[in-house]
Amino acid sequence: MSDLKVGVLSFAHVHAGGFARLLAAMDGVRVLAADPETDLAAPGEVRGKDFAAQLGVDYVDTYEELFAWGPDKVVVCSENVRHRPLVELAAAHGADVLCEKPLATTVEDGAAMVEACRAAGVRLAVAHPVRFSPAYLAVRDAVRNGTAGEVLAVSGANNGYMPGARRRWFADPELAGGGALMDHTVHIADLLDDLFDASPVTSVYAQTNNVLYADDEDVPVETAGLLTLTYANGAVATIDCSWSQPQHHPAWGGLAMQVIGDRATLEMDAFDQKLHGFSEASRSGIELPYGVDLDALMLRAFLYGDDTGPIGVTDGEAGLRGLRIVTAAYASAREGRTVTMG
């Protein structure tokens, strides 16, 4: 059996390096990367051929060369606004696609991506690794088997660093499509999409601000947000999507969720499998993670099929539903009203 050929399109996203390393370490997988669009990298951001050398993966200068190599599958890690052209390029070459979240910056682009992959007969998946968290799967099982009873409310928080400190495009509204709301709403929205079997969101209310980085002229986007979602099944959910983690904290952030049913309350923390301590040398807190690697589980399911584990990778349609929620949330925050979704 020949090796699986996987292309990594762009190193723009902060997760690109981790994905490339994990793929290169898998038996039977060959990796080739291309990162030609480095014009928007800030001084000090290592991209392109130099970054590929650090990762130990093969590199070509253009996407055309990468597709001439004949990849079976590709992972798109570009700036959000560049997702559509790269996904459409992959579809035209018959390659399955795992696209970083959010799916796109507009619903129009997201819908076009879903249609392009459908028409080409290739798979479109979206990078939501938290679906593979043992904590989430335990919550999912308790809801699915009736232990929690009917879900009445959900309180979720996906907080983290302001990622523009590592890749400045995250704070560029044209390239990212927004700020914290665009970046961090979709993970929990995706979990709830799965938990509720794609029960539609009927209304969205959101408030945002940039208080946390108000004095930083390089951060013109919102850095904090709070959403309230009403679902057709009657559940109400709140999502804190803020970039509220201080840069000096030993961890980037986390994702926690409380699910309140009429029979039980369930709590999960997707990234709290770690030992906490204090370093005398650096006079700072330290965290030593352990447990499963969610990115590795997601990548393996994408490469080899959803039957490799208890849950599948988010598909393009689910990614599009999450994007519709984000779009409605921006409208709500801008207009100061609840947005009804059709």
Side-chain angles (χ1 to χ4, degrees):
M1 182 177 178
S2 60
D3 288 346
L4 196 63
K5 300 166 74 173
V6 183
V8 177
L9 308 187
S10 179
F11 289 142
H13 201 283
V14 294
H15 294 155
F19 291 165
R21 283 194 184 95
L22 287 167
L23 289 166
M26 292 181 180
D27 291 337
V29 175
R30 294 170 58 194
V31 179
L32 184 65
D35 185 32
E37 299 172 317
T38 59
D39 52 306
L40 300 170
E45 291 183 3
V46 181
R47 296 272 302 271
K49 188 174 183 178
D50 290 342
F51 192 50
Q54 288 184 12
L55 298 171
V57 299
D58 292 334
Y59 183 83
V60 289
D61 292 323
T62 67
Y63 295 132
E64 289 75 14
E65 291 173 272
L66 190 147
F67 281 106
W69 177 62
D72 302 296
K73 301 174 187 289
V74 299
V75 181
V76 172
C77 295
S78 66
E79 298 88 350
N80 297 341
V81 75
R82 289 172 167 169
H83 286 178
R84 178 179 176 177
L86 290 179
V87 168
E88 290 179 335
L89 183 62
H93 284 85
D96 290 340
V97 187
L98 175 66
C99 182
E100 251 300 346
K101 59 81 189 168
L103 180 63
T105 59
T106 68
V107 171
E108 178 185 14
D109 281 353
M113 293 158 65
V114 171
E115 175 57 24
C117 291
R118 185 203 64 76
V122 301
R123 182 184 191 188
L124 174 59
V126 186
H128 284 296
V130 185
R131 278 192 177 206
F132 295 84
S133 162
Y136 170 66
L137 293 175
V139 168
R140 185 178 188 258
D141 286 346
V143 171
R144 296 282 174 90
N145 66 27
T147 300
E150 179 184 358
V151 176
L152 306 175
V154 178
S155 175
N158 183 194
N159 303 135
Y161 295 146
M162 197 287 290
R166 294 176 60 189
R167 289 285 192 259
R168 69 174 179 177
W169 69 264
F170 275 94
D172 184 320
E174 295 300 319
L175 297 175
L181 193 154
M182 179 67 76
D183 188 35
H184 273 180
T185 297
V186 289
H187 275 307
I188 291 178
D190 178 68
L191 294 183
L192 296 180
D193 187 79
D194 177 69
L195 190 68
F196 295 151
D197 289 323
S199 176
V201 172
T202 58
S203 69
V204 179
Y205 179 76
Q207 291 193 0
T208 63
N209 64 56
N210 66 343
V211 172
L212 295 172
Y213 291 84
D215 297 327
D216 191 335
E217 62 182 16
D218 292 327
V219 187
V221 293
E222 79 284 350
T223 55
L226 185 64
L227 286 68
T228 300
L229 311 179
T230 303
Y231 286 80
N233 63 10
V236 176
T238 62
I239 300 176
D240 178 350
C241 56
S242 306
W243 289 338
S244 54
Q245 193 82 321
Q247 293 292 330
H248 63 267
H249 197 274
W252 68 269
L255 187 150
M257 195 164 67
Q258 183 181 65
V259 178
I260 301 170
D262 62 6
R263 297 182 61 187
T265 296
L266 312 169
E267 295 186 349
M268 63 159 282
D269 189 328
F271 297 102
D272 200 35
Q273 289 183 305
K274 59 187 69 170
L275 300 175
H276 301 265
F278 183 81
S279 170
E280 287 288 350
S282 63
R283 305 299 297 172
S284 63
I286 57 173
E287 295 184 345
L288 302 176
Y290 62 91
V292 299
D293 187 319
L294 304 186
D295 288 346
L297 294 175
M298 177 189 68
L299 289 170
R300 188 164 292 282
F302 169 64
L303 296 182
Y304 298 111
D306 292 336
D307 57 357
T308 59
I311 195 168
V313 183
T314 302
D315 62 24
E317 291 286 356
L320 183 57
R321 289 192 292 271
L323 182 58
R324 292 185 190 279
I325 292 171
V326 170
T327 301
Y330 274 116
S332 174
R334 184 173 59 249
E335 300 167 12
R337 65 179 180 88
T338 298
V339 172
T340 300
M341 300 184 66

